[in-house]
């Protein structure tokens, strides 16, 4: 009976010690996580070129002095949503006091002529910049007065996104009346490119890039409208 009582007492003591250690550790963790010891004091913003990083910082700095574990990331999403040039972002918490926001900006794909000038737009049609004169180095998207929510705009963007950089830098204008009627004009020499449908644009882009690399003399028209084939004159 005494042996059983001693064993039972030892088990109770062991359980009590284990429980005490667990409670102590949980308390220490809670204090460390939710106390000012791990409060947000530094916000870093990177990845910006068109956007002012200081403006982004000012938009989200209302959570300074908040414990890292209590940062309201939904609030950050809402605050950054006021900047249309932010395509996406990733946050990184660096204990004990730092939050890093990695910004991905919208990239221009071309410009649209408007009644007051030209709009530099990204593939989603979001206006990145407005100018009274044509923006140099950016292809003009001619969709016959249609808006960025049209099928013609989608077709033009699909072609532009497929083009490799060596072709893009030579491009002056892309015209899209419908999805099945896309044409391009090169800035150098003004050769026309009959693209046809926006379908199979990746294949057509590779064929066109290979043809332009050959630097054929006196070519006034390339035709890649039939996937896998090229004709020129």
């Amino acid at each position: 009976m005494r042996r059983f009582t001693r064993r039972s007492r030892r088990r109770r003591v062991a359980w009590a010690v284990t429980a005490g250690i667990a409670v102590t550790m949980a308390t220490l963790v809670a204090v460390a996580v939710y106390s000012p010891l791990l409060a947000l004091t530094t916000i870093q913003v990177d990845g910006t070129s068109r956007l002012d990083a200081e403006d982004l910082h000012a938009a989200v700095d209302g959570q300074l002095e908040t414990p890292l574990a209590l940062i309201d990331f939904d609030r950050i999403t809402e605050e950054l949503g006021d900047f249309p040039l932010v395509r996406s972002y990733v946050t990184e918490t660096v204990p004990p006091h730092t939050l890093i926001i990695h910004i991905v900006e919208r990239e221009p794909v071309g410009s649209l002529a408007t009644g007051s000038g030209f709009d530099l737009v990204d593939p989603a049609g979001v206006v990145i910049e407005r100018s009274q004169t044509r923006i140099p180095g950016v292809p003009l998207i001619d969709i016959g007065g249609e808006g960025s929510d049209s099928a013609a705009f989608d077709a033009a963007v699909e072609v532009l996104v497929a083009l490799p950089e060596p072709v893009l830098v030579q491009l002056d204008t892309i015209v899209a009346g419908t999805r099945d009627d896309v044409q391009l004009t090169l800035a150098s020499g003004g050769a026309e490119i009959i693209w046809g449908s926006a379908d199979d644009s990746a294949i057509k882009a590779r064929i066109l890039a290979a043809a332009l690399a050959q630097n054929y003399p006196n070519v006034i028209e390339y035709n890649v409208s039939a996937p896998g084939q090229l004709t020129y004159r």
Side-chain angles (χ1 to χ4, degrees):
M1 188 68 177
R2 284 195 297 271
R3 285 197 299 272
F4 175 79
T5 302
R6 285 196 298 271
R7 285 197 300 270
S8 179
R9 187 183 303 114
R10 284 197 295 269
R11 283 197 296 268
R12 288 197 299 270
V13 170
W15 277 108
V17 170
T18 302
I21 292 174
V23 171
T24 301
M25 292 298 295
T27 301
L28 290 174
V29 169
V31 169
V33 169
Y34 295 102
S35 78
L37 295 174
L38 288 176
L40 177 63
T41 61
T42 302
I43 299 177
Q44 299 175 10
V45 179
D46 63 26
T48 60
S49 61
R50 297 180 183 275
L51 287 165
D52 189 333
E54 292 184 2
D55 291 342
L56 295 173
H57 186 284
V60 300
D61 66 4
Q63 298 195 68
L64 288 172
E65 306 303 329
T66 301
L68 294 184
L70 298 180
I71 292 175
D72 187 345
F73 291 100
D74 289 338
R75 178 179 167 188
I76 291 176
T77 297
E78 181 178 347
E79 291 163 341
L80 293 181
D82 293 333
F83 297 85
L85 296 191
V86 175
R87 189 183 67 166
S88 62
Y89 72 92
V90 175
T91 58
E92 177 185 357
T93 53
V94 183
H97 305 297
T98 302
L99 173 68
I100 304 175
I101 303 178
H102 304 284
I103 298 293
V104 178
E105 293 184 341
R106 295 185 181 274
E107 293 292 334
V109 69
S111 63
L112 290 170
T114 68
S116 57
F118 297 86
D119 286 351
L120 187 67
V121 296
D122 81 334
V126 175
V127 177
I128 295 175
E129 180 183 336
R130 287 191 163 96
S131 174
Q132 292 183 343
T133 59
R134 183 171 172 183
I135 301 166
V138 178
L140 178 65
I141 302 173
D142 182 353
I143 49 178
E146 297 287 333
S148 58
D149 58 348
S150 65
F153 178 80
D154 292 341
V157 167
E158 189 171 335
V159 173
L160 289 171
V161 170
L163 293 175
E165 187 65 23
V167 177
L168 276 175
V169 297
Q170 301 180 59
L171 188 61
D172 179 73
T173 306
I174 179 168
V175 180
T178 66
R179 179 174 179 82
D180 297 321
D181 182 19
V182 181
Q183 298 183 41
L184 296 79
T185 303
L186 298 179
S188 177
E192 300 290 330
I193 301 168
I194 308 302
W195 197 272
S197 172
D199 295 338
D200 302 305
S201 285
I203 297 173
K204 296 175 181 180
R206 288 196 297 270
I207 293 173
L208 177 62
L212 294 179
Q214 297 298 320
N215 197 25
Y216 299 124
N218 304 318
V219 175
I220 61 172
E221 180 184 280
Y222 295 91
N223 191 326
V224 294
S225 58
Q229 297 182 33
L230 166 73
T231 61
Y232 62 90
R233 61 184 180 89

